[in-house]
Amino acid sequence: MSSQLAEKIRELKAERNAVILAHNYQPGEVQDIADFTGDSLALSVRAAQTDADVIVFCGVRFMAETAAILSPGKIVLLPDKNAGCPLADMITAGQLKDLKQKHTGAVVVCYVNSSAEVKAESDYCCTSSNAVEIVESLPRDVEIIFVPDQHLGQFVSERTGRKMILWPGYCITHAAITEDDIKNARAAHPDAIVMAHPECTEPVKVLSDQILSTGQMLKFARQSEAKKFIVATETGIIHTLKKENPGKEFFAASSRAVCPNMKRITLEKVLWSLEDMHYKITVPEEIRTRAKNALDRMVAVLPAK
Ligand code: 13P
């Protein structure tokens, strides 16, 4: 059944001159039919570069919005219109404007997990793979506002030695991974390396060996001599980790770390989105051009590893 679906998707994709981009947290079968899978930064770069007419974005709304901001001439489709991001919804443009008024002259860095309106109010956008480099590139004497993820912000602050004004947002899926989960996983697999995403809480990160974005986790696992890994992020990435590393073992730090929004996308919905050309994601031009400035600065700064 799923191979028939995949075949139909491939046919329609060619007819529409479409490209399918999928985030590393997508269900395995969706990652498998994608033309390109990656982390938030790699997907943004790819969305900006593609010469397809249509981008089917298998991820959540802010990712499709990012593609629409970077590729205004293209049709960007999100296969499920309700695939949102609770973290992105934790700050509005109005709240950010209020914060900027309290700290006039501060540089605003927003995590890519944010709405187009919040990006439009920001100076720089970043992802978990280049946030450290972006903050490091800022002059030492400026105040920095970092929104909306407090845990990524805390990690960047620690790595760069820069004090930042943090917004108290967080990812509900990463917050589900607890210290006990890491301790129990380590007890069960004492010789495993623990890889944690910077969206995890600080106590979880303190207990981990490597703090990495999803793209960095894939690279690290490929290059490492280790044979066992505990993965403290959304469990969808384990599909590709296993596929790319047949001789290695990967264990989810917590089976609760499943993003309900990422899992809204299914093969059926990808097919329907190509058949009906829905759900089109657009950004008003005035917001788009301002948000693009912040994104252009992000895409220009590549991560060190
Ligand atoms: P990265 O893919 O950039 O590591 O980000 C993960 C994430 O939380 C997306 O919502």
Side-chain angles (χ1 to χ4, degrees), residues 163-244:
K163 265 212 180 113
M164 304 194 293
I165 299 146
L166 303 181
W167 188 259
Y170 62 94
C171 163
I172 53 170
T173 301
H174 285 94
I177 304 171
T178 65
E179 280 175 85
D180 279 348
D181 288 331
I182 306 296
K183 287 179 189 159
N184 293 339
R186 273 211 194 273
H189 310 287
D191 47 347
I193 290 186
V194 181
M195 305 189 290
H197 196 275
E199 286 180 26
C200 289
T201 63
E202 191 179 8
V204 165
K205 283 183 287 203
V206 166
L207 292 175
S208 302
D209 300 309
Q210 295 286 331
I211 319 289
L212 304 165
S213 74
T214 61
Q216 290 165 346
M217 281 185 192
L218 290 166
K219 187 173 175 194
F220 180 83
R222 275 195 303 268
Q223 293 177 347
S224 171
E225 299 280 301
K227 292 279 179 257
K228 290 183 186 177
F229 302 83
I230 293 161
V231 184
T233 191
E234 212 278 345
T235 57
I237 193 175
I238 293 181
H239 174 79
T240 306
L241 282 167
K242 284 186 172 165
K243 209 163 119 178
E244 290 185 352

XYZ file of all heavy atoms in Angstrom, residues 163-244:
636
model
N 25.781 37.273 28.088
C 24.508 37.329 28.834
C 23.441 37.752 27.850
O 23.645 38.666 27.065
C 24.602 38.387 29.934
C 24.988 37.855 31.270
C 24.313 38.701 32.375
C 24.704 38.180 33.722
N 25.519 39.133 34.446
N 22.272 37.095 27.865
C 21.219 37.489 26.930
C 19.894 37.600 27.672
O 19.701 36.960 28.711
C 21.093 36.451 25.809
C 22.388 36.199 25.050
S 22.127 35.309 23.496
C 21.596 33.709 24.076
N 19.027 38.415 27.109
C 17.664 38.508 27.658
C 16.885 37.371 27.014
O 16.732 37.341 25.792
C 17.040 39.889 27.334
C 17.887 40.978 27.977
C 15.586 39.966 27.774
C 17.956 42.240 27.178
N 16.439 36.417 27.836
C 15.786 35.218 27.294
C 14.277 35.290 27.453
O 13.773 35.808 28.450
C 16.304 33.959 28.015
C 17.814 33.698 27.985
C 18.131 32.396 28.723
C 18.330 33.617 26.552
N 13.576 34.759 26.490
C 12.119 34.634 26.560
C 11.815 33.238 27.125
O 12.490 32.282 26.751
C 11.519 34.800 25.162
C 10.022 34.873 25.164
C 9.151 33.862 24.844
C 9.222 36.007 25.507
N 7.865 34.306 24.968
C 7.872 35.618 25.380
C 9.517 37.315 25.916
C 6.812 36.483 25.641
C 8.456 38.175 26.165
C 7.123 37.755 26.032
N 10.787 33.126 28.008
C 10.599 31.811 28.665
C 9.859 30.745 27.847
O 9.069 29.976 28.386
C 9.807 32.183 29.925
C 9.054 33.403 29.548
C 9.892 34.161 28.555
N 10.093 30.677 26.546
C 9.449 29.642 25.724
C 10.220 28.324 25.794
O 11.393 28.298 26.176
N 9.553 27.259 25.422
C 10.220 25.944 25.401
C 9.460 24.998 24.488
O 8.282 25.218 24.186
C 10.302 25.350 26.815
C 8.954 25.102 27.425
C 8.349 23.854 27.326
C 8.252 26.129 28.056
C 7.080 23.628 27.843
C 6.990 25.917 28.568
C 6.411 24.674 28.465
O 5.143 24.467 28.969
N 10.128 23.926 24.067
C 9.499 22.907 23.223
C 8.883 21.847 24.131
O 9.596 21.248 24.954
C 10.563 22.279 22.314
S 10.044 20.717 21.592
N 7.590 21.589 23.966
C 6.924 20.628 24.864
C 7.463 19.206 24.663
O 7.469 18.415 25.599
C 5.382 20.642 24.702
C 4.971 20.451 23.235
C 4.776 21.930 25.258
C 3.481 20.216 23.047
N 7.911 18.905 23.469
C 8.407 17.542 23.202
C 9.761 17.325 23.882
O 9.992 16.286 24.518
C 8.505 17.311 21.675
O 7.209 17.503 21.124
C 9.008 15.925 21.345
N 10.655 18.308 23.776
C 11.955 18.159 24.445
C 11.818 18.244 25.964
O 12.575 17.596 26.699
C 12.952 19.194 23.916
C 13.465 18.846 22.551
N 12.896 19.332 21.403
C 14.461 18.014 22.155
C 13.519 18.829 20.353
N 14.484 18.033 20.782
N 10.836 19.026 26.434
C 10.649 19.141 27.890
C 10.186 17.808 28.486
O 10.297 17.588 29.692
C 9.635 20.240 28.199
N 9.668 16.913 27.630
C 9.200 15.604 28.127
C 10.370 14.674 28.459
O 10.179 13.636 29.092
C 8.300 14.952 27.083
N 11.576 15.036 28.025
C 12.757 14.197 28.334
C 13.304 14.662 29.689
O 13.611 15.844 29.864
C 13.836 14.328 27.230
C 13.239 13.972 25.859
C 15.052 13.450 27.549
C 14.152 14.287 24.670
N 13.383 13.755 30.644
C 13.768 14.138 32.009
C 15.183 13.645 32.363
O 15.739 12.777 31.675
C 12.792 13.529 33.034
O 12.927 12.097 32.969
C 11.345 13.924 32.746
N 15.687 14.178 33.482
C 16.984 13.707 33.998
C 16.956 12.200 34.239
O 17.918 11.495 33.936
C 17.248 14.369 35.353
C 17.776 15.773 35.303
C 17.862 16.308 36.719
O 18.882 16.059 37.393
O 16.899 16.970 37.147
N 15.825 11.728 34.822
C 15.702 10.289 35.102
C 15.773 9.463 33.821
O 16.342 8.370 33.818
C 14.388 9.991 35.840
C 14.518 10.288 37.330
O 15.658 10.497 37.798
O 13.476 10.327 38.006
N 15.195 9.999 32.744
C 15.267 9.272 31.459
C 16.730 9.050 31.070
O 17.113 7.971 30.615
C 14.578 10.078 30.338
C 13.068 10.087 30.469
O 12.513 9.116 31.000
O 12.449 11.083 30.030
N 17.545 10.094 31.243
C 18.957 9.969 30.835
C 19.680 8.990 31.776
O 20.433 8.110 31.319
C 19.676 11.350 30.843
C 18.910 12.379 29.996
C 21.131 11.221 30.379
C 18.799 12.096 28.522
N 19.411 9.133 33.075
C 20.064 8.224 34.040
C 19.672 6.773 33.763
O 20.518 5.878 33.762
C 19.671 8.616 35.465
C 20.347 9.892 35.942
C 19.901 10.239 37.346
C 20.405 11.635 37.723
N 19.648 12.231 38.822
N 18.378 6.532 33.508
C 17.915 5.157 33.247
C 18.504 4.615 31.943
O 18.918 3.453 31.872
C 16.377 5.109 33.163
C 15.735 5.414 34.506
O 16.372 5.287 35.557
N 14.479 5.842 34.492
N 18.549 5.462 30.930
C 19.096 5.016 29.635
C 20.584 4.703 29.776
O 21.086 3.727 29.220
C 18.859 6.085 28.578
N 21.292 5.524 30.547
C 22.728 5.262 30.767
C 22.944 3.969 31.534
O 23.865 3.200 31.233
C 23.346 6.418 31.564
C 23.818 7.568 30.705
C 25.011 8.217 31.403
N 25.329 9.510 30.832
C 26.136 9.683 29.778
N 26.672 8.647 29.176
N 26.383 10.899 29.348
N 22.063 3.715 32.525
C 22.195 2.482 33.317
C 21.960 1.271 32.403
O 22.652 0.251 32.516
C 21.194 2.494 34.472
N 21.000 1.405 31.484
C 20.684 0.288 30.577
C 21.763 0.105 29.501
O 21.998 -1.010 29.029
C 19.330 0.522 29.921
N 22.420 1.217 29.110
C 23.428 1.156 28.028
C 24.658 1.944 28.468
O 24.906 3.057 27.976
C 22.858 1.770 26.735
C 21.513 1.245 26.368
N 21.321 -0.026 25.873
C 20.276 1.809 26.449
C 20.022 -0.217 25.657
N 19.374 0.879 25.998
N 25.435 1.390 29.408
C 26.539 2.170 29.994
C 27.610 2.588 28.986
O 28.316 3.574 29.216
C 27.118 1.232 31.065
C 26.384 -0.056 30.963
C 25.283 0.066 29.968
N 27.729 1.863 27.879
C 28.778 2.200 26.912
C 28.258 3.105 25.775
O 28.952 3.314 24.777
C 29.404 0.914 26.326
C 28.360 -0.102 25.882
O 27.166 0.071 26.251
O 28.717 -1.048 25.163
N 27.044 3.645 25.936
C 26.480 4.488 24.864
C 26.855 5.949 25.062
O 27.082 6.410 26.183
C 24.965 4.344 24.837
N 26.911 6.680 23.946
C 27.122 8.128 23.990
C 25.749 8.799 23.989
O 24.872 8.405 23.213
C 27.933 8.587 22.762
C 29.365 8.070 22.894
C 27.907 10.108 22.610
C 30.307 8.558 21.831
N 25.572 9.794 24.879
C 24.279 10.492 24.931
C 24.368 11.761 24.084
O 25.179 12.648 24.347
C 23.890 10.861 26.380
C 22.526 11.567 26.395
C 23.862 9.621 27.263
N 23.511 11.833 23.049
C 23.428 13.039 22.213
C 22.123 13.745 22.580
O 21.044 13.133 22.492
C 23.374 12.670 20.724
C 24.506 11.803 20.239
S 24.495 11.636 18.408
C 23.049 10.623 18.108
N 22.204 15.010 22.969
C 20.994 15.756 23.336
C 20.852 16.993 22.450
O 21.846 17.619 22.068
C 21.042 16.177 24.798
N 19.603 17.342 22.157
C 19.329 18.560 21.387
C 19.380 19.749 22.342
O 18.960 19.637 23.502
C 17.941 18.443 20.734
C 17.709 19.430 19.652
N 17.256 20.707 19.908
C 17.886 19.343 18.307
C 17.156 21.351 18.747
N 17.533 20.549 17.763
N 19.851 20.925 21.875
C 19.902 22.084 22.780
C 18.535 22.557 23.281
O 18.475 23.319 24.244
C 20.594 23.177 21.961
C 20.693 22.671 20.575
C 20.506 21.192 20.593
N 17.447 22.105 22.662
C 16.109 22.451 23.189
C 15.787 21.674 24.471
O 14.784 21.967 25.123
C 15.027 22.171 22.149
C 14.974 23.160 21.012
C 13.869 22.841 20.003
O 12.872 22.213 20.366
O 14.033 23.225 18.835
N 16.614 20.670 24.821
C 16.389 19.931 26.083
C 16.642 20.866 27.261
O 17.355 21.864 27.144
C 17.346 18.740 26.192
S 16.978 17.400 25.051
N 16.095 20.510 28.419
C 16.308 21.329 29.628
C 17.777 21.249 30.056
O 18.484 20.302 29.691
C 15.424 20.849 30.791
O 15.831 19.513 31.117
C 13.942 20.875 30.422
N 18.200 22.218 30.872
C 19.611 22.247 31.275
C 20.037 20.976 32.031
O 21.097 20.416 31.728
C 19.912 23.500 32.096
C 21.402 23.638 32.253
C 21.836 24.856 33.037
O 20.981 25.541 33.607
O 23.059 25.095 33.075
N 19.245 20.491 33.022
C 19.686 19.274 33.728
C 19.922 18.092 32.782
O 20.837 17.292 32.993
C 18.528 18.987 34.694
C 17.806 20.284 34.845
C 17.982 21.034 33.568
N 19.114 17.985 31.732
C 19.295 16.897 30.757
C 20.596 17.115 29.985
O 21.397 16.191 29.782
C 18.073 16.807 29.801
C 18.383 15.964 28.571
C 16.869 16.251 30.549
N 20.843 18.363 29.609
C 22.062 18.651 28.829
C 23.313 18.411 29.670
O 24.315 17.897 29.168
C 22.020 20.087 28.293
C 21.098 20.201 27.081
C 21.080 21.583 26.486
C 20.324 22.545 27.341
N 19.801 23.710 26.646
N 23.229 18.733 30.969
C 24.388 18.533 31.852
C 24.763 17.044 31.896
O 25.941 16.688 31.954
C 24.082 19.091 33.276
C 25.097 18.601 34.297
C 24.032 20.616 33.256
N 23.756 16.175 31.826
C 24.012 14.729 31.909
C 24.404 14.115 30.555
O 24.694 12.930 30.474
C 22.757 14.008 32.419
C 22.354 14.262 33.881
C 21.027 13.586 34.183
C 23.430 13.769 34.833
N 24.405 14.916 29.508
C 24.654 14.374 28.162
C 26.107 14.579 27.726
O 26.828 15.402 28.298
C 23.715 15.061 27.162
O 22.380 14.846 27.553
N 26.538 13.815 26.711
C 27.932 13.925 26.237
C 28.073 14.949 25.121
O 29.102 15.608 25.004
C 28.398 12.561 25.696
C 28.341 11.495 26.763
O 28.887 11.722 27.852
O 27.718 10.447 26.513
N 27.060 15.044 24.271
C 27.146 15.925 23.102
C 25.843 16.705 22.985
O 24.765 16.118 23.097
C 27.313 15.089 21.818
C 28.610 14.302 21.738
C 29.807 15.190 21.440
O 29.681 16.227 20.790
N 30.967 14.786 21.910
N 25.942 18.014 22.748
C 24.739 18.832 22.529
C 24.746 19.204 21.039
O 25.628 19.959 20.597
C 24.754 20.137 23.370
C 25.280 19.906 24.786
C 23.381 20.827 23.357
C 24.391 19.147 25.684
N 23.774 18.696 20.296
C 23.840 18.804 18.834
C 22.458 19.049 18.228
O 21.451 18.545 18.744
C 24.381 17.484 18.253
C 25.746 17.003 18.771
C 25.965 15.532 18.403
C 26.873 17.853 18.208
N 22.436 19.790 17.118
C 21.200 19.914 16.339
C 20.947 18.556 15.679
O 21.817 17.678 15.703
C 21.373 20.984 15.252
O 22.191 20.485 14.217
N 19.793 18.397 15.045
C 19.517 17.079 14.455
C 20.504 16.760 13.319
O 20.972 15.631 13.198
C 18.061 16.980 13.938
O 17.844 17.955 12.921
C 17.062 17.158 15.064
N 20.833 17.765 12.522
C 21.799 17.544 11.436
C 23.164 17.178 12.001
O 23.867 16.298 11.470
N 23.546 17.836 13.085
C 24.839 17.544 13.717
C 24.846 16.144 14.334
O 25.870 15.469 14.338
C 25.153 18.604 14.766
C 25.477 19.968 14.154
C 25.440 21.098 15.168
O 24.939 20.950 16.283
N 25.955 22.253 14.777
N 23.680 15.699 14.850
C 23.605 14.336 15.417
C 23.868 13.296 14.329
O 24.596 12.321 14.534
C 22.209 14.076 16.000
C 21.985 14.687 17.355
S 20.356 14.191 18.000
C 20.253 15.347 19.379
N 23.271 13.517 13.153
C 23.454 12.563 12.059
C 24.923 12.492 11.656
O 25.481 11.417 11.452
C 22.574 12.962 10.860
C 21.067 12.761 11.084
C 20.246 13.468 10.023
C 20.710 11.281 11.093
N 25.565 13.655 11.589
C 26.972 13.711 11.194
C 27.847 13.048 12.274
O 28.727 12.239 11.966
C 27.373 15.180 11.006
C 28.744 15.354 10.439
C 29.010 16.809 10.123
C 30.445 16.987 9.666
N 30.854 18.376 9.654
N 27.561 13.394 13.530
C 28.361 12.852 14.635
C 28.273 11.319 14.658
O 29.287 10.629 14.785
C 27.877 13.448 15.967
C 28.651 12.947 17.145
C 29.866 13.516 17.489
C 28.179 11.892 17.904
C 30.604 13.039 18.566
C 28.908 11.407 18.983
C 30.112 11.986 19.317
N 27.039 10.788 14.520
C 26.854 9.328 14.581
C 27.589 8.635 13.430
O 28.175 7.566 13.609
C 25.372 8.989 14.546
N 27.592 9.266 12.265
C 28.286 8.686 11.094
C 29.781 8.620 11.339
O 30.446 7.650 11.015
C 28.054 9.554 9.847
C 26.788 9.271 9.075
C 26.805 9.902 7.696
N 27.012 11.337 7.674
C 26.024 12.233 7.682
N 24.765 11.845 7.721
N 26.293 13.527 7.653
N 30.312 9.678 11.960
C 31.776 9.784 12.104
C 32.325 9.109 13.351
O 33.502 8.814 13.433
C 32.169 11.264 12.095
C 31.914 11.914 10.741
C 32.229 13.401 10.702
O 32.424 14.016 11.747
N 32.273 13.974 9.514
N 31.453 8.883 14.351
C 31.937 8.369 15.638
C 32.334 6.893 15.550
O 31.767 6.119 14.775
C 30.823 8.541 16.678
O 31.163 7.881 17.858
N 33.336 6.555 16.376
C 33.765 5.156 16.469
C 32.812 4.365 17.361
O 32.805 3.139 17.362
C 35.159 5.085 17.119
C 36.264 5.805 16.358
C 36.772 4.972 15.202
O 37.237 3.852 15.460
O 36.676 5.433 14.044
N 32.021 5.077 18.177
C 31.119 4.418 19.136
C 30.075 3.589 18.396
O 29.760 3.845 17.230
C 30.440 5.458 20.010
N 29.562 2.598 19.102
C 28.586 1.685 18.466
C 27.176 1.892 19.006
O 26.200 1.412 18.440
C 29.008 0.221 18.732
C 30.299 -0.174 18.004
C 30.010 -0.531 16.546
C 31.238 -0.896 15.764
N 31.715 0.149 14.872
N 27.062 2.583 20.166
C 25.736 2.753 20.778
C 25.507 4.217 21.127
O 26.414 4.883 21.650
C 25.633 1.918 22.060
C 25.581 0.442 21.817
C 25.397 -0.318 23.121
C 25.504 -1.817 22.857
N 25.401 -2.581 24.089
N 24.276 4.674 20.893
C 23.950 6.080 21.137
C 22.575 6.187 21.795
O 21.629 5.502 21.377
C 23.911 6.855 19.810
C 25.204 6.793 19.048
C 25.486 5.705 18.231
C 26.137 7.812 19.159
C 26.681 5.632 17.526
C 27.334 7.750 18.453
C 27.614 6.660 17.632
N 22.495 7.062 22.793
C 21.201 7.397 23.395
C 20.813 8.745 22.788
O 21.633 9.675 22.768
C 21.319 7.466 24.932
C 21.608 6.059 25.469
C 20.059 8.060 25.563
C 22.196 6.033 26.861
N 19.590 8.820 22.285
C 19.189 9.991 21.498
C 18.143 10.798 22.264
O 17.001 10.358 22.429
C 18.625 9.537 20.125
C 18.288 10.746 19.267
C 19.631 8.629 19.409
N 18.549 11.992 22.734
C 17.639 12.843 23.503
C 17.101 13.955 22.611
O 17.519 15.116 22.692
C 18.349 13.399 24.741
N 16.196 13.546 21.720
C 15.451 14.507 20.890
C 14.234 13.773 20.372
O 13.953 12.623 20.772
C 16.326 15.093 19.751
O 15.637 16.195 19.157
C 16.646 14.078 18.664
N 13.482 14.414 19.470
C 12.288 13.783 18.902
C 12.695 12.463 18.246
O 13.714 12.390 17.547
C 11.690 14.745 17.862
C 10.195 14.688 17.744
C 9.668 13.574 16.878
O 10.479 12.983 16.125
O 8.469 13.294 16.945
N 11.884 11.417 18.469
C 12.330 10.069 18.091
C 12.378 9.811 16.575
O 12.983 8.837 16.147
C 11.408 9.007 18.739
O 10.061 9.284 18.311
C 11.468 9.066 20.260
N 11.760 10.688 15.768
C 11.743 10.482 14.316
C 13.135 10.383 13.706
O 13.334 9.699 12.701
N 14.105 11.020 14.328
C 15.462 11.029 13.774
C 16.107 9.636 13.826
O 17.027 9.332 13.055
C 16.345 12.073 14.510
C 17.630 12.308 13.718
C 16.601 11.682 15.938
C 18.522 13.388 14.279
N 15.587 8.778 14.707
C 16.193 7.445 14.866
C 16.044 6.629 13.568
O 16.902 5.820 13.230
C 15.603 6.737 16.113
C 16.085 7.516 17.352
C 16.005 5.265 16.181
C 15.639 6.980 18.675
N 15.000 6.909 12.804
C 14.796 6.235 11.510
C 16.030 6.422 10.615
O 16.596 5.455 10.108
C 13.545 6.813 10.834
C 13.312 6.306 9.456
N 12.756 5.070 9.194
C 13.573 6.869 8.235
C 12.686 4.907 7.881
N 13.177 5.978 7.275
N 16.450 7.671 10.447
C 17.593 7.939 9.556
C 18.906 7.520 10.215
O 19.819 7.036 9.540
C 17.612 9.433 9.165
O 16.336 9.749 8.628
C 18.663 9.734 8.118
N 19.017 7.690 11.533
C 20.243 7.259 12.222
C 20.483 5.767 11.967
O 21.602 5.345 11.646
C 20.127 7.529 13.734
C 20.340 8.971 14.185
C 19.889 9.167 15.629
C 21.808 9.394 14.037
N 19.417 4.979 12.088
C 19.557 3.519 11.893
C 19.856 3.198 10.431
O 20.681 2.337 10.130
C 18.267 2.808 12.320
C 18.115 2.707 13.834
C 16.899 1.874 14.187
C 16.855 1.614 15.687
N 15.550 1.136 16.137
N 19.167 3.907 9.535
C 19.343 3.648 8.100
C 20.787 3.942 7.660
O 21.374 3.197 6.878
C 18.376 4.569 7.346
C 17.890 4.041 6.042
C 16.650 4.816 5.603
C 16.878 5.504 4.299
N 15.698 6.212 3.817
N 21.329 5.032 8.195
C 22.680 5.440 7.767
C 23.797 4.663 8.462
O 24.939 4.702 8.027
C 22.880 6.944 8.046
C 22.049 7.818 7.143
C 22.337 9.308 7.321
O 23.086 9.700 8.247
O 21.802 10.086 6.529
